[in-house]
Amino acid sequence: MTQTLTIRRPDDWHLHLRDGAMLQAVLPHTAAHFARAIIMPNLVPPVVTGADAAAYRDRILDALPSGADFKPLMTLYLTEDTDADDVAAAHASGLITAVKLYPAGATTNSASGVANFDKVAAVLERMAEIGLPLCTHGEVTDANVDIFDREAVFIDRVLNPIRRAHPHLRVVMEHITTRNAVEYVQAHDTNLAATITTHHLVINRNHILAGGIKPHYYCLPVAKREEHRLALRTAATSGDARFFLGTDSAPHTDANKLLPCGCAGCFTAPNTMSILAEVFEQDGALDKLEGFTSLNGPAFYGLPANDATLTLTRTAPSYPGHVDTEEGPVTVFDPDIPLNWSVA
């Protein structure tokens, strides 16, 4: 039985760091294990220009613990007023790595997102020309679409038309949650990839709803039926380079999670690597863990894999139940399975 596992240092291709006191508290937990992360731009106000991204990057770097080796990969929040020239300039300077599409109202701080996709066609075409990826929050927000069907409907109504109109646009379907999305990625060989979160590999909708409502398992996109969770696990552990890790680690204080209309998000940054090692071992795929966490993402984004390594040992880990911030405690995600791997 394998007792240690050394892999290239992983990257997180979808991360929420927030800002201010929250940023100061949660960033060290990502920087401890991950070399790079795609940083989500849904602040208040959102990160919509190159100048916004530069300022946010500097705040992140200032918040890093002394001696930490971590690079934030910045993104811009796509709005109907986004300037294609500003996007191109930010990309050319090396400042941004992607642009993020939020359908208006889809998730936390997405009110500035896109409602009329015709208004962003020129930006998407410029992105296709310069090879800048579009990261999508893949849900429609129509009130008449069931929340469990929003991802599948997004593929039909939004993603397919975008990709037909801009065939050279590189697209990352972020935090996919359905068999539909897995099969869509598998059916396309070029310019398309998907991230899968830690929590969607281990929870289904019963974790949120069965036996009482459990707010700390509530996320968007919401966890689906067990058949979809199993499809995600098969994709993640398959070795298919089109799938890679994006934790979507999303910290909210307990006070905000437990409101009558509580916030969506699971804070998985501290224990992601232990959870993933457990999942991949359960599925007989420890040899595929490095690809999912450390190789497939850089390959899609055209970046080198990290030279540094991370070692996991077969030791039961100990993680805090919550992380203290000046705004209040943030509960660390509970995977509801025993963990047997620790980061050395």
Side-chain angles (χ1 to χ4, degrees):
M1 182 179 291
T2 301
Q3 298 299 314
T4 65
L5 179 65
T6 298
I7 62 174
R8 298 261 194 148
R9 195 168 176 216
D11 300 305
D12 185 347
W13 298 97
H14 183 126
L15 177 67
H16 296 271
L17 287 175
R18 313 305 187 199
D19 213 344
M22 183 68 78
L23 166 64
Q24 296 278 344
V26 303
L27 176 58
H29 295 279
T30 288
H33 298 161
F34 296 92
R36 298 171 293 201
I38 288 278
I39 309 300
M40 291 296 103
N42 58 331
L43 304 182
V44 180
V47 178
V48 297
T49 67
D52 295 337
Y56 188 28
R57 176 201 57 194
D58 292 346
R59 296 196 299 276
I60 294 169
L61 294 175
D62 288 344
L64 278 173
S66 178
D69 181 14
F70 174 77
K71 181 178 181 180
L73 303 175
M74 307 308 296
T75 64
L76 296 183
Y77 186 121
L78 183 64
T79 75
E80 294 176 6
D81 298 317
T82 292
D83 185 317
D85 290 336
D86 181 65
V87 170
H91 172 64
S93 71
L95 173 62
I96 64 168
T97 303
V99 170
K100 180 61 184 278
L101 166 64
Y102 289 104
T107 188
T108 303
N109 300 337
S110 61
S112 301
V114 178
N116 183 345
F117 289 90
D118 290 339
K119 292 185 177 180
V120 298
V123 176
L124 297 180
E125 190 57 35
R126 180 73 71 87
M127 290 170 58
E129 292 171 1
I130 64 179
L132 180 62
L134 176 72
C135 298
T136 64
H137 181 109
E139 294 186 287
V140 297
T141 56
D142 308 45
N144 62 340
V145 176
D146 189 283
I147 191 170
F148 293 105
D149 298 330
R150 287 179 174 183
E151 184 171 280
V153 174
F154 176 87
I155 292 171
D156 291 337
R157 290 188 186 175
V158 180
L159 185 59
N160 256 331
I162 285 176
R163 296 187 68 243
R164 283 197 300 268
H166 310 281
H168 300 295
L169 180 66
R170 296 174 62 76
V171 175
V172 180
M173 298 172 65
E174 295 199 307
H175 48 48
I176 62 171
T177 61
T178 61
R179 186 181 67 246
N180 311 68
V182 169
E183 292 174 349
Y184 184 78
V185 173
Q186 291 170 334
H188 298 85
D189 292 330
T190 58
N191 295 333
L192 184 66
T195 60
I196 302 175
T197 77
T198 313
H199 51 283
H200 285 117
L201 291 174
V202 294
I203 67 170
N204 60 33
R205 65 189 190 181
N206 278 1
H207 285 81
I208 307 170
L209 298 170
I213 295 176
K214 303 175 184 68
H216 292 296
Y217 289 133
Y218 172 58
C219 54
L220 287 174
V222 69
K224 307 298 194 298
R225 291 180 180 272
E226 177 69 355
E227 66 183 274
H228 296 294
R229 184 187 74 87
L230 294 177
L232 296 176
R233 280 181 68 134
T234 298
T237 61
S238 67
D240 188 327
R242 291 168 292 188
F243 300 101
F244 42 88
L245 175 65
T247 66
D248 195 17
S249 181
H252 294 285
T253 63
D254 287 356
N256 285 324
K257 287 290 290 181
L258 303 177
L259 288 170
C261 185
C263 293
C266 298
F267 179 49
T268 58
N271 55 2
T272 273
M273 292 308 300
S274 292
I275 297 170
L276 291 178
E278 192 68 34
V279 166
F280 276 67
E281 183 172 47
Q282 287 178 5
D283 288 11
L286 269 179
D287 61 322
K288 303 293 198 305
L289 180 62
E290 182 179 54
F292 182 70
T293 63
S294 313
L295 302 178
N296 299 347
F300 184 84
Y301 278 94
L303 297 171
N306 299 307
D307 291 327
T309 60
L310 178 141
T311 297
L312 294 141
T313 63
R314 188 180 294 280
T315 308
S318 176
Y319 293 105
H322 65 271
V323 170
D324 289 321
T325 80
E326 291 181 9
E327 300 172 9
V330 175
T331 291
V332 176
F333 176 74
D334 176 3
D336 198 33
I337 56 172
L339 299 180
N340 298 290
W341 290 92
S342 298
V343 177

